[in-house]
């Protein structure tokens, strides 16, 4: 078991960054006018919904952020509301990808724009979490709070394509 709950989240970030590379490449193909199988876009967008949002962001929103607030971080100013706002912006961009990829990538330009926006947003977001928020978490959370987060993360299990 990892020593820090943030280690689990950082590993998930590495998985997300790999998916962002794929999404960026897909958006480039779409913008170049290449034929992109709709299933490829659909599978990638599905991953963004299930892994990034339903699995990873929910750990942060339901477990980490409340633990940080309980440890004294502000819920109304600072990094927590900023991260929550970026999660919401990301959700809107994923919804735009879903809407524009319906059927057979009818609106490739909209898909590529939403995909590019999502990639840029999430890369910056992950940098902020890895290099600032998680460092703060490691400092402000007590050992019992860290252990409780590890247990809660473990109880949620590893990602599987439910």
């Amino acid at each position: 078991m990892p020593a820090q709950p943030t280690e689990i989240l950082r590993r998930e970030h590495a998985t997300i960054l790999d998916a962002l590379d794929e999404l960026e490449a897909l958006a480039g193909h779409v913008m170049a006018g290449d034929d992109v199988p709709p299933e490829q876009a659909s599978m990638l967008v599905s991953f963004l919904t299930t892994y990034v949002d339903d699995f990873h962001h929910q750990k942060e929103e339901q477990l980490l952020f409340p633990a940080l607030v309980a440890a004294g971080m502000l819920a109304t100013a600072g990094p927590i509301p900023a991260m929550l706002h970026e999660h919401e912006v990301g959700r809107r961009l994923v919804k735009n990808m879903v809407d524009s990829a319906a059927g057979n990538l009818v609106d490739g330009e909209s898909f590529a724009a939403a995909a590019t926006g999502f990639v840029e947003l999430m890369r910056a977001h992950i940098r902020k979490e890895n290099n600032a928020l998680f460092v703060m978490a490691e400092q402000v959370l007590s050992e019992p709070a860290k252990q409780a987060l590890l247990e809660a993360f473990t109880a949620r299990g590893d990602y599987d394509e439910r």
Side-chain angles (χ1 to χ4, degrees):
M1 183 180 270
Q4 298 277 345
T6 51
E7 289 177 37
I8 293 171
L9 298 172
R10 281 187 177 102
R11 275 188 277 183
E12 292 173 5
H13 281 168
T15 299
I16 294 167
L17 288 168
D18 289 343
L20 294 177
D21 290 344
E22 288 181 45
L23 183 60
E24 184 175 52
L26 181 66
H29 288 296
V30 169
M31 287 304 292
D34 298 340
D35 285 334
V36 175
E39 315 78 54
Q40 184 180 2
S42 179
M43 284 177 44
L44 198 46
V45 171
S46 176
F47 178 81
L48 298 176
T49 302
T50 57
Y51 186 84
V52 176
D53 199 36
D54 295 344
F55 182 70
H56 176 77
H57 285 165
Q58 293 309 310
K59 280 184 184 172
E60 293 174 344
E61 293 176 9
Q62 295 175 4
L63 301 169
L64 177 64
F65 297 168
L68 292 173
V69 170
M73 288 183 75
L74 296 176
T76 57
I80 294 173
M83 297 299 101
L84 288 168
H85 172 72
E86 290 177 5
H87 287 182
E88 286 304 317
V89 172
R91 287 180 182 116
R92 286 193 299 272
L93 289 167
V94 169
K95 182 181 181 323
N96 290 347
M97 283 185 270
V98 168
D99 291 347
S100 58
N104 58 0
L105 285 181
V106 172
D107 191 351
E109 190 173 316
S110 292
F111 178 87
T116 301
F118 185 79
V119 167
E120 291 171 2
L121 171 77
M122 290 308 298
R123 283 182 178 151
H125 178 83
I126 287 170
R127 272 193 306 277
K128 288 182 243 179
E129 285 187 341
N130 283 351
N131 300 323
L133 183 67
F134 293 172
V135 173
M136 288 183 232
E138 291 159 2
Q139 294 169 349
V140 303
L141 293 172
S142 67
E143 288 307 314
K146 290 175 186 176
Q147 187 59 39
L149 279 173
L150 282 171
E151 290 170 8
F153 288 177
T154 301
R156 288 191 175 219
D158 291 326
Y159 174 75
D160 58 15
E161 298 194 46
R162 300 177 233 281

